[in-house]
DNA sequence: TATTGTTATACTCTATAACTATA
DNA sequence: TATAGTTATAGAGTATAACAATA
């Protein structure tokens, strides 16, 4: 792994001084994720969307009529933190909070036509962003990366029911 | 990719309702990173360390005598945000802020013996955590994941100077 | 004039408890 | 009694501007 010209450990010259952490997945993942998040934020900004508003919009369009608590659990955020997100999307008339038949406590969430249009355009920009950040990887590498991320997420979140050293997720 | 029994799009049954987002690297990366961060935080807690204090300690041990501004840039955080981190590590006598010869503005950061000891123990726990979250991956897959994360970080951060579809980073 | 460490500040994200109206 | 949405609040993490001491 040839650390450049190998400086004197007790004197001075540091360049990219994080080699000692680069062997850790957690570290690499956080740095990579931060960088991707930043690029994604720049990508969504022209549409007036943030990561969380975009994700919510996508999920509502994919699951018309879902309730806020379901959306919150799908996005892995607290119900209470979803409220201002829904407020924002509703104020911009990108979604509606409709009454639920048979349950007057809950809302049936639906995207408006404007919401669907905006989401389509934003999604196209996001696809371009994806291509940008994945440029350095071959098709096979992309495929392994995506499956590995899913596997790691499952291992870190819960039990990780794997017997051997092989990918388990779809 | 066979979405389970394919429910009626306009009616109701949602299980894990984020399929629509799982095709996005940014999304998978954030979810995986969050899960790993959470497990890492649990791992470091018994040592009284957070991700940021642990990372700082590792870098100081790897680069004895480095200054705060260098450490901040290595950790990709603002100088100002590093101050309370150094305060905490110094108060716990895990590091020292020594005077720099030839520059009375800066501190030469060094870990104390206690700091090195704690870092060693914490690092062992972190290695176990790594093994835990990577359990589902083969050696080859781990290798590709690590290199892919580095490549993606570079692509997302800066220019991404890659001509083809091959991994570039070490 | 530029840089080092520092303070103060603000904004986002996240986590918790408690309230209301329904079920 | 439990659940859906809501409010309030507090804690992290992050970003910016400005200052004193020093280069």
């Amino acid at each position: 792994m040839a650390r450049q010209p190998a400086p004197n450990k007790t004197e001075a010259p540091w360049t990219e001084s994080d080699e000692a952490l680069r062997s850790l997945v957690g570290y690499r993942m956080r740095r990579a994720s931060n960088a991707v998040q930043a690029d994604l934020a720049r990508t969504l900004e022209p549409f007036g969307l943030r990561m969380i508003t975009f994700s919510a919009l996508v999920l509502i369009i994919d699951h018309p009529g879902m309730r806020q608590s379901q959306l919150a659990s799908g996005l892995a955020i607290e119900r209470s933190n979803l409220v201002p997100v829904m407020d924002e999307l509703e104020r911009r008339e990108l979604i509606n909070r409709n009454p639920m038949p048979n349950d007057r406590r809950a809302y049936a969430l639906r995207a408006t036509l404007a919401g669907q249009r905006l989401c389509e355009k934003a999604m196209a920009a996001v696809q371009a962003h994806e291509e940008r950040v994945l440029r350095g990887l071959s098709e096979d590498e992309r495929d392994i990366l995506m499956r590995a991320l899913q596997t790691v997420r499952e291992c870190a979140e819960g039990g990780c029911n794997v017997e051997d050293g092989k990918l388990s997720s779809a």
Side-chain angles (χ1 to χ4, degrees), chain A residues 43-44 46-47 49 54 57-58 61 94 113-129:
Chain A
T43 301
L44 291 173
F47 304 96
L49 293 172
F54 171 72
L57 201 45
V58 170
I61 290 170
L94 300 173
L113 193 53
Q116 293 175 47
R117 294 261 168 74
L118 184 69
C119 192
E120 268 174 43
K121 288 182 200 160
M123 186 57 95
V126 169
Q127 303 286 6
H129 141 88

Side-chain angles (χ1 to χ4, degrees), chain A residues 63-78:
Chain A
H63 303 291
M66 88 191 302
R67 36 179 84 190
Q68 284 186 199
S69 49
Q70 290 171 322
L71 178 55
S73 97
L75 291 169
I77 68 171
E78 296 298 315

